[in-house]
Amino acid sequence: MSHQNSKNGGGVRIGVYVCHCGTNIAGVIDVSALAGYAASLPRVAVARDYKYMCSDPGQDLIRKDISEFGLNRIVVAACSPHLHEKTFRLVAASAGINPYFVQMVNVREHGSWVHEEREAALARARDQLRAAVRRVALHKPLERREVPIHPDVLVVGGGIAGIHAALTLANAGKHVFLVEREPTIGGHMAMFDKTFPTLDCAACILTPKMTAVKAHPNITLWTLSEVVKVDGYVGNFRITVRRKPRYVIEDLCIGCQECIEACVFKQAKVDDEFNLGLSKRKPIYLPFPQAVPQVVVIDPETCIEFKTGKCKKTCLEACGERGAIDFQQKERFETIEVGTVILATGYKTFDARRIPYYGYGLFPNVYTALEVERMVNASGPTGGEVVLRDGRKPKTVGIIHCIGSRDANTNRYCSRVCCMYSLKLAHLIKEKTGAEVYESYIDIRAPGKGFEEFYNRVAEEGTLFIRGKVADVYPAEDGSGRLILQAEDTLLGMVRKIPVDMVVLAVGLEAQEDATEVRRLFNITCAKEGFFLERHPKLAPVSTFTDGIFLAGCCQGPKDIPDTVAQAGAAAAEALALIDTRTIEMEPDTAYVLEEACSGCKTCMPLCPYGAISFREDVKKASINEVLCKGCGVCVASCPSGSIQQHLFEDGEIFEEIEGVLAHA
Amino acid sequence: MPESFEPKIVAFFCNWCTYLAADLAGTSRIKYAPNVRVVRTMCSGRVDPQFVLDAFAHGADGVLIGGCHPGDCHYQEGNYKTLRRVRLLKRLLEQMGIEPERFRLEWISASEADRLKTVVNEMVEQVRALGPLSFASGAADSPAEPAEAVKA
């Protein structure tokens, strides 16, 4: 094959660097043997092993060798290229050689960490290293191209994460589009009464931020809106947003709520979403008193005018001259251009019906924690009273931890917030009702500032803790209407049956129902549990594998409010850092046409998902637009005459790699 | 077949899903058979059928292609192109006498480190049972000019 002809490229001098990574690599792979082997390969001028190649002395070692040995190619056998490829490219560039003259061999994630047998691990490392040495010899100098970054930012989701990120960016002078699918921003936090462990009121700390969003000149707030299409790439995204009709003109409504009063429904009959169905609302409503925007919304599913077209439209009369109500409003689509995106799409709570033996939905006095959260809230369905369905105050309450968390049948992970919010609810229920509160837990997880102290405080207040998971909830046979919690108390070593009036299920946090669709829309990845995957769990916790798209809040994994806000700030800072460089360098791994070989068959054209390939009628040949090409290489693999190539993934380079891993050592 | 036959599997992993699954296997310390040799491409759609043929011609006992699940491709639909090509190539390989177990396409997402392990181990066992690919030429590298080995 022709690709073999290019061997023995003139003047190629390769330096090979084998990293010990402390004992991470060296503990399994004989790094000195690997370096020794590398030195025996053709065109290798120098091969070394070193404790930490990515450290400053490690990098200096490479720079020194480049000048001393006249190296023009570098192979680093270390960790995944996803971690340190950039580092070593920069090292090469700083020593005056093209950054793309670097190839990494992954001997850690794909080597010492996955293989136990030393000989076999070394054999694999040798093969992969040999392939890299053969491949890198063919590397061509490449230039990154610069594209401008649009300074505007899209923030998806208007919970505390989205709000905080949007305000941070807006305060830095960037224009932010904040898109929220509900009629108001605020998210889950707006539903809470107090926040642990400080017990400050959620509304008191959240609503000023919500109104600041609405008032900020740099923020365009779109509620009842969803992103439906994402085109483009980092720095230059084109986003299409569906704006659902509110049937109320936002600019004209002053939030007086006279229309709600006037609605032909004299009694509110529709389940109120904000209060989780514990109270009723009318078809025209304000989601909650502090909603932002302070604008009513009409629910077409229940509004008589939408259902029959024969309503007296008393709301319209009540609105009078303001004329804010508009039954003719239609769905609209708007397209915006932004340079970066922050996803803050939040979470959903675990559906307690999935564990039938806790009786949620079956026994009236089994509640989820979020429902109780609404009840303890002064503006909630009961005006802040904790009551049973029949209006009585509970005398005993049992809180069951880990519903849908730490359970092989549902979710294996810990939802992180349930222990603390359960303690908070225990405190609030005790305060409001004087009830005896039991907490059935697996472990109390209170690792945060002031958390353990709060646990101690709640315990001292007399909340009773039972270490053991409740196995069953069933009605008492004495006709009292009470429920029996049956649990093995693992500290006492006996099964306990505790009669309670009210059961509170501490439901865990799960990825949003449509997380998969959102992930596909933005071309990012989800972790196993369905939460969006960060680029690196420690060092790039708010970045994704798609440049320019950042994560904030619980869409990345369960977390509490302080962590959410910290992460939102970090995401905003990452976006700012990108925007303020004004331009971004694009990877040069694009495809290109070898004109003399192209037969003009057009096979490649329909394969390109980005429409980057056009046909030049004058010369009857294909042509690839470098700006539109994203470097997948599909066209390269499909060209029948082999006349499309891809920078950094040239046929010749890949053939060298294949034959390299297979060549006998 | 020699007792100690260790099959060599060349694995083409896409940069965004399966390569990351292999990285995750590493960070999770999930152990799998060391018989696999990974060649990274940006998309499984970059895998030219010639790459597969070249691997078999140079001594691979099996070839594995790993891409993103349908609908999850980082490049929208590159993996569909891969699937199309692989079906045809599989028939061609069978006509050449290469057993279907030796050539596999798997969708492995970035979070499926466990699945990566299962697929690799399973394939290694299947290919081990088949024995070495009979017509493998095993082209060897030309002997190397020894270079200077330096210990840092």
Side-chain angles (χ1 to χ4, degrees):
Chain A
M1 279 185 212
S2 61
H3 55 267
Q4 286 173 327
N5 299 341
S6 48
K7 278 179 191 169
N8 299 320
V12 168
R13 291 179 66 77
I14 305 170
V16 178
Y17 298 89
V18 180
C19 182
H20 298 196
C21 195
T23 54
N24 281 306
I25 295 168
V28 176
I29 292 172
D30 184 340
V31 284
S32 129
L34 188 60
Y37 172 73
S40 74
L41 293 170
R43 293 181 292 261
V44 173
V46 58
R48 297 180 191 272
D49 60 275
Y50 185 71
K51 201 126 191 107
Y52 292 104
M53 279 319 304
C54 61
S55 67
D56 279 347
Q59 296 185 26
D60 286 340
L61 198 65
I62 301 178
R63 283 193 205 95
K64 205 169 128 261
D65 280 358
I66 288 174
S67 72
E68 201 165 304
F69 292 88
L71 304 179
N72 50 20
R73 298 290 190 284
I74 303 297
V75 169
V76 185
C79 51
S80 171
H82 283 281
L83 206 61
H84 272 311
E85 192 173 53
K86 265 191 190 146
T87 312
F88 294 111
R89 279 180 178 166
L90 286 172
V91 170
S94 71
I97 66 172
N98 189 280
Y100 295 92
F101 282 165
V102 173
Q103 179 71 17
M104 285 196 75
V105 189
N106 188 345
V107 293
R108 192 178 74 170
E109 284 85 344
H110 295 196
S112 58
W113 279 353
V114 288
H115 305 312
E116 275 166 326
E117 206 204 315
R118 293 177 63 91
E119 223 12 78
L122 178 62
R124 177 175 178 189
R126 263 200 309 259
D127 287 351
Q128 304 266 189
L129 186 133
R130 183 189 324 111
V133 165
R134 285 177 60 161
R135 178 196 219 279
V136 81
L138 298 188
H139 280 204
K140 293 186 207 151
L142 296 170
E143 295 289 325
R144 291 157 74 99
R145 74 201 140 82
E146 282 198 348
V147 292
I149 293 179
H150 198 292
D152 292 0
V153 186
L154 168 71
V155 177
V156 187
I160 180 59
I163 289 172
H164 188 77
L167 283 172
T168 307
L169 288 159
N171 288 339
K174 306 301 170 200
H175 192 88
V176 180
F177 292 90
L178 179 58
V179 173
E180 165 61 49
R181 76 167 146 202
E182 300 297 328
T184 172
I185 54 170
H188 277 104
M189 187 175 169
M191 301 167 86
F192 302 158
D193 180 47
K194 300 279 197 303
T195 54
F196 63 77
T198 46
L199 295 178
D200 37 0
C201 138
C204 315
I205 53 179
L206 179 65
T207 50
K209 290 184 84 108
M210 288 165 62
T211 44
V213 164
K214 183 66 190 156
H216 208 296
N218 287 340
I219 298 179
T220 302
L221 172 62
W222 285 343
T223 50
L224 283 169
S225 301
E226 284 180 299
V227 174
V228 290
K229 194 159 180 271
V230 179
D231 288 319
Y233 49 91
V234 55
N236 301 276
F237 291 108
R238 262 176 86 83
I239 312 275
T240 309
V241 180
R242 178 201 291 135
R243 303 200 56 200
K244 289 172 277 188
R246 181 184 275 270
Y247 305 110
V248 172
I249 300 164
E250 254 188 71
D251 294 339
L252 299 181
C253 176
I254 55 164
C256 69
Q257 305 181 45
E258 280 169 28
C259 51
I260 303 178
E261 197 59 41
C263 176
V264 292
F265 274 89
K266 287 295 158 237
Q267 294 293 318
K269 284 188 174 160
V270 186
D271 277 351
D272 183 342
E273 295 86 352
F274 189 74
N275 284 328
L276 305 158
L278 293 173
S279 67
K280 303 290 178 190
R281 61 161 172 84
K282 293 184 180 181
I284 185 163
Y285 66 105
L286 192 67
F288 61 97
Q290 303 95 332
V292 169
Q294 270 285 309
V295 173
V296 297
V297 53
I298 296 175
D299 165 18
E301 297 294 315
T302 49
C303 172
I304 300 285
E305 175 62 13
F306 282 95
K307 287 173 80 176
T308 66
K310 289 181 192 148
C311 183
K312 282 190 285 181
K313 288 183 265 195
T314 43
C315 54
L316 218 66
E317 274 168 43
C319 194
E321 280 176 4
R322 283 190 291 274
I325 297 173
D326 177 8
F327 288 105
Q328 307 307 319
Q329 256 184 14
K330 294 270 175 295
E331 184 174 88
R332 283 183 297 143
F333 291 90
E334 304 219 30
T335 303
I336 51 172
E337 288 187 0
V338 298
T340 45
V341 177
I342 294 176
L343 293 178
T345 51
Y347 64 92
K348 72 171 166 66
T349 50
F350 176 80
D351 179 5
R353 287 181 186 82
R354 282 171 57 194
I355 310 180
Y357 49 83
Y358 290 139
Y360 182 73
L362 188 66
F363 307 128
N365 290 324
V366 178
Y367 292 86
T368 66
L370 199 53
E371 287 170 338
V372 177
E373 196 81 57
R374 287 311 300 148
M375 268 201 263
V376 292
N377 190 298
S379 65
T382 54
E385 295 296 315
V386 178
V387 290
L388 301 168
R389 302 269 178 196
D390 61 8
R392 281 183 304 130
K393 271 193 180 179
K395 291 196 180 68
T396 44
V397 176
I399 302 178
I400 309 176
H401 287 222
C402 298
I403 307 293
S405 308
R406 306 184 66 196
D407 179 351
N409 298 315
T410 55
N411 297 308
R412 286 179 181 273
Y413 57 85
C414 166
S415 293
R416 276 186 66 183
V417 293
C418 322
C419 279
M420 291 310 295
Y421 79 56
S422 295
L423 293 170
K424 173 192 75 181
L425 287 177
H427 168 85
L428 293 175
I429 291 169
K430 246 184 151 31
E431 187 180 71
K432 295 200 179 243
T433 64
E436 192 161 66
V437 181
Y438 291 89
E439 299 232 18
S440 144
Y441 68 98
I442 307 176
D443 300 288
I444 291 288
R445 299 201 161 167
K449 203 172 178 181
F451 287 14
E452 183 70 16
E453 294 90 325
F454 186 69
Y455 168 41
N456 289 331
R457 171 181 167 183
V458 172
E460 280 160 20
E461 283 169 1
T463 294
L464 302 157
F465 291 90
I466 301 164
R467 187 173 181 275
K469 198 162 183 182
V470 171
D472 202 5
V473 172
Y474 56 90
E477 282 167 13
D478 60 4
S480 62
R482 301 220 280 186
L483 295 161
I484 309 288
L485 300 188
Q486 186 178 312
E488 187 189 350
D489 189 324
T490 55
L491 295 179
L492 293 179
M494 59 183 279
V495 173
R496 294 180 68 178
K497 293 177 181 174
I498 301 157
V500 295
D501 295 317
M502 178 188 240
V503 173
V504 182
L505 302 179
V507 285
L509 274 48
E510 284 189 327
Q512 289 275 23
E513 208 78 68
D514 58 352
T516 298
E517 283 93 85
V518 174
R519 159 178 80 83
R520 286 185 176 160
L521 202 56
F522 288 94
N523 205 357
I524 59 166
T525 313
C526 279
K528 202 161 55 187
E529 310 81 25
F531 295 104
F532 299 150
L533 187 68
E534 63 283 353
R535 192 177 187 109
H536 190 277
K538 294 178 187 68
L539 302 179
V542 299
S543 305
T544 64
F545 283 98
T546 301
D547 288 337
I549 296 185
F550 303 101
L551 305 174
C554 290
C555 62
Q556 181 261 343
K559 54 181 67 66
D560 60 11
I561 295 166
D563 284 3
T564 295
V565 171
Q567 204 185 22
E574 292 279 356
L576 275 176
L578 203 57
I579 297 165
D580 282 356
T581 56
R582 291 172 203 278
T583 56
I584 183 163
E585 291 191 324
M586 302 296 288
E587 281 302 314
D589 51 4
T590 49
Y592 61 96
V593 176
L594 302 166
E595 268 206 11
E596 60 281 12
C598 175
S599 67
C601 72
K602 300 187 185 174
T603 302
C604 52
M605 292 179 62
L607 297 179
C608 179
Y610 308 105
I613 312 177
S614 56
F615 190 68
R616 287 177 54 200
E617 287 296 344
D618 53 341
V619 286
K620 305 273 183 231
K621 285 178 194 301
S623 163
I624 294 173
N625 181 335
E626 203 191 40
V627 177
L628 296 178
C629 174
K630 292 196 184 176
C632 64
V634 165
C635 57
V636 190
S638 70
C639 177
S641 58
S643 49
I644 307 181
Q645 282 303 324
Q646 182 186 6
H647 293 304
L648 215 58
F649 292 91
E650 308 268 356
D651 279 350
E653 291 165 355
I654 297 175
F655 279 124
E656 279 303 312
E657 217 176 327
I658 297 167
E659 292 161 29
V661 292
L662 292 167
H664 293 294
Chain B
M1 192 201 324
E3 280 289 310
S4 61
F5 168 59
E6 282 297 333
K8 246 189 198 183
I9 312 284
V10 172
F12 297 97
F13 286 168
C14 82
N15 184 58
W16 304 103
C17 286
T18 314
Y19 194 90
L20 287 178
D23 275 4
L24 180 63
T27 46
S28 318
R29 311 298 197 276
I30 293 174
K31 311 293 179 204
Y32 58 86
N35 306 57
V36 64
R37 303 289 181 266
V38 175
V39 175
R40 181 170 65 113
T41 56
M42 294 308 280
C43 178
S44 62
R46 173 67 184 92
V47 180
D48 191 318
Q50 291 184 80
F51 296 168
V52 178
L53 296 172
D54 192 60
F56 280 124
H58 283 82
D61 300 298
V63 174
L64 170 65
I65 302 177
C68 309
H69 284 270
D72 288 1
C73 179
H74 189 79
Y75 305 101
Q76 296 180 16
E77 47 195 30
N79 50 0
Y80 290 102
K81 312 293 190 300
T82 317
L83 180 64
R84 240 153 63 174
R85 248 176 247 147
V86 160
R87 291 221 168 121
L88 191 62
L89 184 59
K90 228 180 163 74
R91 283 169 64 181
L92 178 80
L93 291 173
E94 279 177 55
Q95 286 162 12
M96 294 166 72
I98 296 178
E99 297 89 339
E101 292 86 352
R102 293 190 190 272
F103 177 47
R104 209 160 148 171
L105 168 67
E106 290 289 345
W107 310 133
I108 303 173
S109 81
S111 60
E112 295 178 316
D114 272 325
R115 194 170 139 64
L116 181 112
K117 168 188 128 179
T118 310
V119 165
V120 168
N121 285 351
E122 198 178 278
M123 189 163 176
V124 167
E125 282 325 304
Q126 283 174 355
V127 174
R128 195 195 305 277
L130 288 174
L133 187 61
S134 52
F135 63 81
S137 67
D141 260 351
S142 50
E145 305 143 35
E148 197 178 337
V150 188
K151 270 217 75 148

